[in-house]
Amino acid sequence: MATTQDCAGDKLVQEKERHVKANARDYNDKFSYADNRIKTSKYNLFTFLPINLFEQFQRVANAYFLVLLILQLIPEISSLSWFTTIVPLVLVLVITAVKDATDDYFRHKSDQQVNNRQSQVLIRGSLQNERWMNVRVGDIIKLENNQFVAADILLLCSSEPYGLCYIETAELDGETNLKVRQALTVTSDLGDIAKLIDFDGEVICEPPNNKLDKFTGTLFWRDNKYPLDNGKMLLRGCVLRNTEWCFGMVIFAGLQTKLMQNCGRTAFKRTSIDKLMNTLVLWIFAFLVCMGVILAIGNTVWESWIGRNFQVFLPRDEFQSSAVFSGFLTFWSYIIILNTVVPISLYVSVEVLRLGHSYFINWDRKMYYSQTDTAAEARTTTLNEELGQVEFIFSDKTGTLTQNIMVFSKCSINGQTYGDVYNEFDQKVEITEKTACVDFSFNPLCDRRFKFYDGSLLEAIKLEDPAVQEFFRLLALCHTVMPEEKSEGHLVYQAQSPDEGALVTAARNFGFVFRARTPETITLCEMGRAVTYQLLAILDFNNVRKRMSVIVRNPQGQIKLYSKGADTIIFDRLDPSSEDLMHTTSDHLSEFAGEGLRTLALAYKDLDEDDFDVWMKKLLFASTEIENREDQQSVLYEEIEQGLKLLGATAIEDKLQEGVPETIACLSLADIKIWVLTGDKLETAMNIGYSCNMLRDDMNEVFVISGHSLVEVQQQLRSAKEHILGLSRVSSAGDVEKTDVLSVDSVFEEAIIAEYALVINGHSLAHALEPQLEHVLLDLACLCKTVICCRVTPMQKAQVVELVKRHKRAVTLAIGDGANDVSMIKTAHIGVGISGQEGMQAVLASDYSFAQFRYLQRLLLVHGRWSYFRMCNFLCYFFYKNFAFTLVHFWYGFFCGFSAQTVYDQWFITLFNIVYTSLPVLAMGLFDQDVNDRNSLRYPSLYKLGQQNLLFNKRQFFLCTLQGLGTSFLLFFIPYGAFSVMVREDGSYFSDQQAFAVTIATSLVIVVSVQIGLDKCYWTAVNHLFIWGSLSVYFAVLFAMQSDGIFGIFPSNFPFVGTARNCLSETSVWLVILLTTVVCVVPGLAVSFLRVNLFPALTDKVRHLQQSRKREGPQEQNLRRVRRTSSRRSAYAFSHQQGYGELITSGKNMRMSKVSSARSPGRTPHSSTWIENMLKRKNEVSCASGESTEAPESGNRAKQKTPKQQPAD
């Protein structure tokens, strides 16, 4: 779908307002509006090479090697061949370019797929098939059922009565429930092509913007003006549902559609280690320059004082006229010789490691989801070690944390609970897949997907228990669901929210089947008998009433009021006769809520005919009032909804994905902050927060920010922050006095023991993200354990992520499953896509993808931590060995007249990094692990090393280079000192430079091989093969290259003939090599031994425990969810909008001949603040270790109010 598209930065001229005329392409072309083509690709055939090379040379190392290559092409200063640099450099550039080209090819393919979709456009008097990319602003297009909307269009007419149509906006806001749009009355009869051809209306509206829930415009037609709002627009990314056809006029196209305005740029993502490497390369280059300057000065001095004595038999070249110029040339020569402190093989090795780590993720069977045959996939190879440093996770809710499936789980009827299963000993047993379901075969109209496990409820129905029958009769009557009977007995319900559908489906299966409705009647099938009720009134749900009622007349002529809503609301309106039942039901509700279920209370009332007539007249009068109509209606609703008789309560489960609470608990123990950014309503998000234990009733405070103005939001944010920090110094203007509050915030952030949560609404977030408030928002959010942002647009999601990235300098990860998460996924350092119910848009834009949220735990705590650990150890060792290898030239310079002569044979220099030492360090970087995967999950605190960047930073770099410097010093001076006094077995002196070079080279290879063996934590057969194999290869190549045979073939290329044979045959040389190895290795070994034994880190302790239990084998981590008793939360939290009662009773959404198959949402009111009160209960999630120990919850909670929670809208 087009929702994955990137805005691509094509910024067009700013508009103040838009003028669009229907069926007038020539008129609209004058304004140069964007066409409907979208573009997410970065390159084309002509721009690929320059742009890609420019991007690659932004990496400092690539630019550094390019400069070295140029220097090596100058024969006067180069003592190494140019191909030693150009071959690996070109190899790196080509590999990267091929990878980038492949990625862009798939983006081109996706663009073409979207741009070439077909749409019916009214052109020159007839409907013609056009590609999406050819649709223009002002065109009239026809959409058919289940088609995607091609652009942002103004709805003109549809096949439904009154110009209604139904759309699914999952791609925009993640919601799968249908929404209604209605055309202007004046255009709703333009269904004929002839009328549409003559339509010449002009729309003047707002310029392109990213506000998905707002549109302001005016239609000018036939000398009249008609106001336009968002309820008359169909946005690109929506899908037309349950509507045969509709026509619309294109207002915004392509990159100017609201969807594309909400998409983020495709940023070039680099890890923090990459950025650090850029800095370190600059440092190393500066160090290189310093060494070059020192050696150049030395050469100048040596040439002035000593070198002139050699001019008799070593005359200078003509151009080398002075000692200073000789020093200048020597400087560049040493820059070339010493450049191997950062060899280009480092970057080749890093890419190989990242590729390997990516394959480990792809091959991990523990992240494979068999139900959908979906394996984890690393869609990028450049961010693996960043997975080990994540501090903030930004998660979508619907489809990411939840399955977006509502299930009727339990109920309480007349003081009796149903839904639990008991064994023969009357003990409650856990419901599993093997538990037998209730058999609904007696009911031919049942929904076969519905599962219930307690057979006693069905028995009560069959025994005609009046309370049970009235309970399900209420569920079948009191709702705004629209039925569609596609074939005889095959019912499909369209509900305003999934929980409504779950309740009606439950009634259907238990024998009270909702069959049809008209504006005046509701038809049920009660235990196989058709019963029609006269619908007298719908007392609709809204976010203030938190309940819904219907008044019906049954076939016996009795008038009944049925009501369902939040328990606190219903209980306040009960008749005193229901008091005992209320207490029993209240206990049941607390039990349901303790299991994370959403609850509703159900009640009814018998109405007297005369009293109802009087009340109905008052209601009709109030309905005709222009001012305060809703307030007057609410008073009348309140009047009649008194003296109710309690029936019972329902409990609905919004099924979380498997393992979500445990995953969140484990990630929290790893000091990872999880923020939920969702398009759902505030109450919905909070309910899920409680279900997955992000919100708990023992938290000190849950701050709800819901202000509608900048001042209100500012006051709420600052009040919450003061509450946490214990500050109450407020000036008369309402602002915090100018103190050093901000400077101590970070201290408080670390010191705060109490737990707080922040919940903020979308309209409040828009103000909070203003420059003057964003710091206050961020400070407050970071002081809270949990942050939930609800009703946010895709762009706001990206803005929140960007806010944290910009000011906290922490690694961020965004995870989602829908198109509305794409901008967030692109903005975060790491984007993770869930391949779920809402298509593949998030996956296509992501860096990593898998099927279930719980796999995030393994991705971060195992693969991420291992990748970071391995990469850091690899880099430390690589810098160590290359400083040890290269700086020997520096010490040798003082003994060779600063002549830029190399110590080693040129072939050794060429092969050291790519043959002799490449495989052992690659094996360490690919396979090493400090602790195994089980212990990585059992001890999440191990992850903190990456967050604090302790394993590779500037300090660690300095230490490993210092070790390399010391090793190079010992490697040179121990053999130098030994050679000055050492003699052969025949009494002659070791005086040749070639023997000295072979001794140092052999010592170096052995030292770095021993060192990597000591540095390894985890030995495998591959490690043994690569280390001992590399040593064997070194000696084999050494003797081969210094043999008589190869010298005879290439005498000028292999000057070290016979040196290895003669040198290494001497015992004294091996003693020197042994001494050098021991002296180089022992200090580091002693430091490591003392550190592990005297100051062990958590990693050392866990590794020791792991080794001591190696035979026993530790148990898998057992994160279990402890049952809690919780405050109740109404299932009405899942009703995202005001109810549809008015639309149903008006009949506007009813077909003339049959019942409409879709329901019609009304307008969305401003969200109210959530619940006033919550019952204080204890809720714990513990992470059990191998010793079955559990970390206790933090004690000493601050005293807090224990309000009783009320349900949401």
Side-chain angles (χ1 to χ4, degrees):
M1 181 52 212
T3 51
T4 63
Q5 311 310 331
D6 189 328
C7 300
D10 292 5
K11 194 73 176 176
L12 298 169
V13 178
Q14 288 290 329
E15 300 176 35
K16 293 184 178 178
E17 63 180 16
R18 172 159 291 210
H19 294 253
V20 182
K21 198 168 185 179
N23 293 316
R25 283 193 169 187
D26 293 338
Y27 173 81
N28 297 322
D29 286 346
K30 294 189 299 184
F31 299 100
S32 300
Y33 295 139
D35 60 22
N36 207 35
R37 183 193 301 269
I38 54 92
K39 176 176 176 289
T40 65
S41 54
K42 295 166 63 177
Y43 317 110
N44 59 40
L45 286 174
F46 302 105
T47 63
F48 173 74
L49 197 60
I51 292 178
N52 188 261
L53 286 176
F54 174 75
E55 287 178 346
Q56 290 203 58
F57 282 113
Q58 283 185 316
R59 179 181 278 179
V60 174
N62 286 345
Y64 166 68
F65 289 119
L66 181 64
V67 172
L68 283 176
L69 174 61
I70 295 170
L71 291 177
Q72 282 184 279
L73 295 175
I74 304 173
E76 286 77 16
I77 62 173
S78 178
S79 53
L80 292 174
S81 302
W82 59 270
F83 59 80
T84 59
T85 298
I86 194 170
V87 172
L89 177 61
V90 169
L91 185 65
V92 170
L93 294 177
V94 168
I95 291 174
T96 306
V98 168
K99 182 171 69 72
D100 291 342
T102 304
D103 292 342
D104 207 56
Y105 167 75
F106 287 111
R107 283 193 288 265
H108 272 287
K109 201 171 179 180
S110 173
D111 291 347
Q112 289 176 2
Q113 182 183 359
V114 173
N115 289 329
N116 290 328
R117 286 179 179 168
Q118 296 292 311
S119 186
Q120 298 182 66
V121 183
L122 190 61
I123 301 176
R124 294 184 293 275
S126 64
L127 282 174
Q128 299 180 16
N129 282 331
E130 273 284 7
R131 295 177 179 178
W132 273 24
M133 62 183 178
N134 295 329
V135 172
R136 309 259 284 277
V137 170
D139 286 351
I140 292 178
I141 64 176
K142 181 182 180 181
L143 294 174
E144 295 180 345
N145 194 31
N146 296 326
Q147 279 190 347
F148 284 107
V149 181
D152 290 355
I153 65 174
L154 170 66
L155 179 62
L156 297 178
C157 57
S158 76
S159 58
E160 301 298 298
Y162 302 95
L164 291 170
C165 76
Y166 304 96
I167 57 171
E168 182 184 285
T169 60
E171 304 259 340
L172 297 176
D173 55 20
E175 295 181 7
T176 53
N177 53 304
L178 300 187
K179 295 181 175 61
V180 69
R181 295 291 184 263
Q182 185 173 11
L184 287 168
T185 305
V186 71
T187 64
S188 61
D189 61 349
L190 295 177
D192 294 335
I193 298 295
K195 293 181 180 178
L196 287 167
I197 293 171
D198 295 334
F199 178 67
D200 60 352
E202 182 177 4
V203 172
I204 299 179
C205 66
E206 62 187 17
N209 60 71
N210 58 21
K211 296 177 181 176
L212 293 172
D213 58 351
K214 184 181 177 184
F215 178 80
T216 306
T218 306
L219 171 65
F220 293 84
W221 190 40
R222 294 176 178 170
D223 300 325
N224 286 313
K225 294 194 300 184
Y226 305 95
L228 303 175
D229 57 28
N230 201 51
K232 297 173 178 56
M233 294 291 294
L234 307 184
L235 302 184
R236 179 174 183 142
C238 299
V239 182
L240 192 67
R241 299 289 192 201
N242 295 343
T243 307
E244 192 176 337
W245 54 262
C246 72
F247 284 93
M249 170 183 169
V250 178
I251 305 297
F252 302 119
L255 298 176
Q256 293 182 333
T257 58
K258 289 182 181 287
L259 175 65
M260 301 304 293
Q261 291 283 312
N262 267 286
C263 70
R265 290 172 176 267
T266 300
F268 179 60
K269 295 183 177 181
R270 290 206 305 263
T271 66
S272 55
I273 286 183
D274 269 340
K275 296 171 185 173
L276 176 60
M277 288 282 290
N278 279 347
T279 303
L280 296 182
V281 167
L282 292 175
W283 284 14
I284 291 171
F285 186 71
F287 178 62
L288 193 59
V289 169
C290 290
M291 288 194 295
V293 168
I294 292 171
L295 294 169
I297 293 172
N299 178 265
T300 302
V301 173
W302 189 88
E303 286 286 351
S304 301
W305 292 358
I306 303 171
R308 60 187 176 184
N309 300 328
F310 295 90
Q311 288 186 31
V312 176
F313 59 92
L314 286 176
R316 287 177 176 163
D317 295 331
E318 294 181 7
F319 65 88
Q320 200 171 348
S321 56
S322 69
V324 174
F325 189 68
S326 173
F328 174 76
L329 295 179
T330 301
F331 168 79
W332 293 109
S333 297
Y334 271 112
I335 291 293
I336 293 171
I337 290 173
L338 299 174
N339 82 83
T340 49
V341 284
V342 186
I344 198 164
S345 61
L346 169 65
Y347 290 92
V348 177
S349 301
V350 165
E351 294 304 321
V352 170
L353 291 185
R354 287 173 172 166
L355 185 65
H357 296 163
S358 298
Y359 276 113
F360 292 153
I361 293 171
N362 296 347
W363 293 337
D364 191 342
R365 296 185 65 84
K366 293 181 180 178
M367 294 171 67
Y368 169 75
Y369 191 55
S370 58
Q371 293 185 22
T372 57
D373 190 29
T374 305
E377 181 184 6
R379 297 174 55 82
T380 181
T381 60
T382 57
L383 301 174
N384 295 318
E385 65 270 17
E386 198 94 314
L387 290 170
Q389 298 179 275
V390 173
E391 290 186 55
F392 288 87
I393 292 176
F394 300 91
S395 174
D396 179 39
K397 181 194 76 68
T398 307
T400 303
L401 300 178
T402 70
Q403 300 179 33
N404 203 26
I405 300 173
M406 302 291 175
V407 177
F408 180 83
S409 180
K410 296 182 181 181
C411 62
S412 169
I413 305 175
N414 199 26
Q416 175 69 39
T417 60
Y418 300 93
D420 291 320
V421 179
Y422 296 86
N423 60 18
E424 61 270 21
F425 305 109
D426 204 30
Q427 295 174 325
K428 188 186 296 186
V429 297
E430 185 178 355
I431 295 173
T432 65
E433 293 181 359
K434 297 180 180 179
T435 306
C437 299
V438 173
D439 182 11
F440 293 107
S441 59
F442 77 95
N443 181 2
L445 295 174
C446 69
D447 184 341
R448 302 193 183 281
R449 295 168 298 178
F450 178 83
K451 292 184 179 180
F452 198 77
Y453 300 93
D454 186 358
S456 61
L457 183 55
L458 187 59
E459 291 300 319
I461 285 282
K462 292 181 177 179
L463 293 172
E464 298 185 357
D465 184 320
V468 175
Q469 289 192 333
E470 196 73 352
F471 179 91
F472 284 111
R473 185 176 290 116
L474 185 152
L475 291 181
L477 290 170
C478 185
H479 56 78
T480 54
V481 173
M482 299 299 299
E484 179 182 7
E485 193 158 357
K486 296 188 174 182
S487 59
E488 182 63 31
H490 181 54
L491 283 167
V492 176
Y493 293 143
Q494 295 292 346
Q496 71 174 17
S497 60
D499 63 297
E500 282 258 87
L503 293 174
V504 178
T505 300
R508 167 185 174 178
N509 275 59
F510 282 100
F512 287 76
V513 185
F514 170 54
R515 291 294 296 267
R517 75 155 76 241
T518 71
E520 294 83 25
T521 63
I522 297 177
T523 301
L524 304 184
C525 180
E526 297 184 356
M527 302 305 292
R529 181 171 54 90
V531 181
T532 300
Y533 293 83
Q534 184 182 353
L535 180 59
L536 302 176
I538 293 181
L539 284 56
D540 210 357
F541 167 87
N542 64 34
N543 59 345
V544 177
R545 287 169 39 76
K546 304 186 192 311
R547 63 191 183 277
M548 174 197 176
S549 301
V550 295
I551 301 175
V552 298
R553 190 192 302 273
N554 63 20
Q556 291 75 37
Q558 298 171 315
I559 300 177
K560 286 183 174 284
L561 180 145
Y562 293 107
S563 186
K564 68 179 181 184
D567 55 288
T568 51
I569 300 295
I570 298 295
F571 287 176
D572 288 343
R573 289 157 180 79
L574 291 179
D575 187 80
S577 62
S578 295
E579 185 172 351
D580 292 339
L581 179 58
M582 180 186 74
H583 291 302
T584 304
T585 306
S586 182
D587 292 339
H588 296 161
L589 285 166
S590 297
E591 183 181 342
F592 296 156
E595 298 172 18
L597 304 177
R598 264 42 106 192
T599 58
L600 283 177
L602 311 184
Y604 76 101
K605 177 182 181 181
D606 293 313
L607 297 178
D608 179 75
E609 185 85 39
D610 295 334
D611 292 342
F612 174 73
D613 288 341
V614 172
W615 179 85
M616 196 65 189
K617 289 176 183 177
K618 293 181 184 177
L619 182 64
L620 290 173
F621 177 77
S623 300
T624 59
E625 290 291 303
I626 297 176
E627 295 184 1
N628 300 322
R629 178 189 300 174
E630 292 183 359
D631 292 340
Q632 293 185 44
Q633 288 177 334
S634 295
V635 171
L636 289 170
Y637 292 169
E638 187 75 28
E639 177 187 316
I640 202 167
E641 291 173 325
Q642 297 294 331
L644 302 175
K645 292 182 180 179
L646 185 63
L647 275 173
T650 62
I652 290 179
E653 180 183 6
D654 178 14
K655 294 184 79 69
L656 289 171
Q657 287 192 15
E658 183 183 344
V660 166
E662 294 83 354
T663 298
I664 289 175
C666 193
L667 293 176
S668 297
L669 291 173
D671 259 10
I672 298 174
K673 297 178 176 65
I674 302 177
W675 294 16
V676 175
L677 310 179
T678 176
D680 282 341
K681 211 165 183 60
L682 182 145
E683 292 79 12
T684 312
M686 292 189 73
N687 282 333
I688 295 300
Y690 279 98
S691 296
C692 58
N693 291 300
M694 292 180 66
L695 296 177
R696 301 197 312 276
D697 295 314
D698 62 342
M699 281 184 160
N700 295 67
E701 191 80 42
V702 177
F703 300 108
V704 179
I705 310 298
S706 57
H708 289 272
S709 68
L710 186 68
V711 175
E712 287 179 26
V713 174
Q714 182 182 46
Q715 185 60 42
Q716 289 177 349
L717 288 173
R718 291 187 170 176
S719 297
K721 186 177 174 184
E722 289 170 13
H723 180 90
I724 295 176
L725 299 180
L727 301 176
S728 57
R729 300 184 298 277
V730 182
S731 66
S732 59
D735 291 334
V736 179
E737 292 178 2
K738 302 299 181 183
T739 64
D740 293 333
V741 174
L742 290 177
S743 64
V744 299
D745 275 354
S746 59
V747 179
F748 274 107
E749 187 177 331
E750 297 296 329
I752 286 174
I753 299 174
E755 293 185 354
Y756 300 92
L758 173 67
V759 182
I760 184 167
N761 230 320
H763 54 77
S764 305
L765 185 62
H767 296 301
L769 290 171
E770 294 289 334
Q772 61 267 43
L773 280 186
E774 62 178 17
H775 283 285
V776 183
L777 170 66
L778 186 60
D779 291 340
L780 174 61
C782 290
L783 293 171
C784 294
K785 186 175 181 64
T786 296
V787 178
I788 297 176
C789 303
C790 47
R791 275 296 182 219
V792 293
T793 66
M795 186 54 71
Q796 282 180 322
K797 290 184 179 185
Q799 289 171 342
V800 172
V801 176
E802 182 61 37
L803 177 67
V804 175
K805 278 180 63 179
R806 191 168 62 247
H807 295 296
K808 297 303 291 185
R809 295 188 177 180
V811 177
T812 58
L813 180 147
I815 179 169
D817 72 321
N820 57 318
D821 304 314
V822 167
S823 57
M824 170 177 76
I825 285 171
K826 288 181 177 179
T827 303
H829 291 98
I830 302 167
V832 177
I834 301 283
S835 50
Q837 303 295 322
E838 297 181 24
M840 297 292 287
Q841 291 75 22
V843 170
L844 294 173
S846 67
D847 304 305
Y848 301 88
S849 67
F850 40 71
Q852 294 280 290
F853 180 83
R854 68 178 185 270
Y855 298 149
L856 184 63
Q857 177 181 347
R858 188 169 179 84
L859 181 72
L860 298 184
L861 301 189
V862 178
H863 290 288
R865 205 183 68 79
W866 278 352
S867 294
Y868 174 73
F869 169 79
R870 291 163 176 169
M871 185 62 73
C872 292
N873 282 5
F874 165 82
L875 291 172
C876 285
Y877 175 77
F878 208 99
F879 282 121
Y880 155 74
K881 78 179 180 70
N882 279 285
F883 269 75
F885 163 60
T886 305
L887 295 188
V888 171
H889 292 296
F890 179 77
W891 309 119
Y892 184 57
F894 290 91
F895 297 90
C896 68
F898 305 97
S899 61
Q901 181 184 359
T902 58
V903 179
Y904 315 110
D905 173 22
Q906 183 167 316
W907 287 104
F908 179 81
I909 295 174
T910 304
L911 298 177
F912 177 75
N913 277 307
I914 62 176
V915 174
Y916 301 151
T917 60
S918 60
L919 291 181
V921 73
L922 280 177
M924 181 175 74
L926 284 173
F927 304 113
D928 202 22
Q929 51 181 254
D930 50 354
V931 299
N932 60 29
D933 57 338
R934 291 179 179 178
N935 283 323
S936 294
L937 294 171
R938 180 179 291 114
Y939 302 100
S941 294
L942 293 170
Y943 190 80
K944 296 176 184 178
L945 289 174
Q947 294 171 328
Q948 298 164 11
N949 202 23
L950 295 179
L951 297 186
F952 186 73
N953 49 39
K954 293 172 183 175
R955 178 177 177 274
Q956 290 297 321
F957 169 74
F958 175 74
L959 291 177
C960 66
T961 53
L962 192 64
Q963 184 185 5
L965 182 69
T967 300
S968 70
F969 182 86
L970 296 171
L971 279 170
F972 178 80
F973 283 101
I974 291 177
Y976 181 79
F979 268 61
S980 64
V981 297
M982 194 169 66
V983 295
R984 299 178 188 269
E985 292 179 0
D986 60 3
S988 61
Y989 281 97
F990 280 96
S991 58
D992 63 298
Q993 187 269 339
Q994 292 186 347
F996 182 63
V998 169
T999 304
I1000 292 180
T1002 305
S1003 300
L1004 172 65
V1005 172
I1006 293 175
V1007 165
V1008 296
S1009 297
V1010 171
Q1011 188 65 51
I1012 198 172
L1014 295 173
D1015 287 344
K1016 281 184 184 298
C1017 302
Y1018 181 69
W1019 281 87
T1020 65
V1022 176
N1023 294 117
H1024 283 288
L1025 175 65
F1026 282 1
I1027 289 179
W1028 312 125
S1030 293
L1031 278 173
S1032 302
V1033 167
Y1034 164 72
F1035 284 109
V1037 172
L1038 178 68
F1039 282 104
M1041 286 192 169
Q1042 299 186 7
S1043 66
D1044 298 339
I1046 201 164
F1047 176 76
I1049 302 171
F1050 305 104
S1052 60
N1053 292 329
F1054 297 94
F1056 278 53
V1057 59
T1059 305
R1061 183 174 64 251
N1062 296 328
C1063 174
L1064 297 179
S1065 62
E1066 296 288 335
T1067 306
S1068 55
V1069 171
W1070 284 106
L1071 290 174
V1072 171
I1073 293 172
L1074 177 64
L1075 176 64
T1076 306
T1077 302
V1078 170
V1079 174
C1080 287
V1081 169
V1082 165
L1085 186 63
V1087 170
S1088 297
F1089 176 80
L1090 293 174
R1091 182 186 59 78
V1092 170
N1093 286 278
L1094 299 181
F1095 309 101
L1098 178 62
T1099 309
D1100 302 317
K1101 297 175 183 176
V1102 174
R1103 186 162 61 247
H1104 176 72
L1105 185 66
Q1106 175 179 302
Q1107 291 168 349
S1108 65
R1109 295 184 174 182
K1110 194 170 184 180
R1111 292 183 181 178
E1112 179 183 338
Q1115 297 298 312
E1116 186 63 61
Q1117 176 180 345
N1118 178 27
L1119 275 170
R1120 61 188 180 86
R1121 181 178 176 184
V1122 180
R1123 180 180 171 182
R1124 58 186 168 81
T1125 306
S1126 169
S1127 52
R1128 304 167 202 155
R1129 288 180 290 283
S1130 165
Y1132 265 126
F1134 293 87
S1135 301
H1136 302 310
Q1137 307 186 32
Q1138 182 173 320
Y1140 307 155
E1142 184 180 347
L1143 190 61
I1144 288 172
T1145 53
S1146 71
K1148 283 188 175 182
N1149 64 333
M1150 306 294 177
R1151 295 186 185 276
M1152 302 308 172
S1153 57
K1154 60 179 180 180
V1155 178
S1156 171
S1157 62
R1159 85 306 170 263
S1160 311
R1163 63 184 179 84
T1164 305
H1166 291 299
S1167 298
S1168 66
T1169 56
W1170 186 63
I1171 300 120
E1172 296 174 1
N1173 297 318
M1174 293 180 292
L1175 296 172
K1176 182 181 179 182
R1177 294 289 187 268
K1178 197 70 180 171
N1179 165 39
E1180 292 181 351
V1181 172
S1182 60
C1183 181
S1185 71
E1187 295 120 335
S1188 300
T1189 59
E1190 296 181 3
E1193 288 288 330
S1194 176
N1196 302 324
R1197 300 287 184 197
K1199 289 184 178 181
Q1200 62 176 13
K1201 295 180 181 178
T1202 57
K1204 191 175 180 182
Q1205 179 173 329
Q1206 294 190 8
D1209 42 343

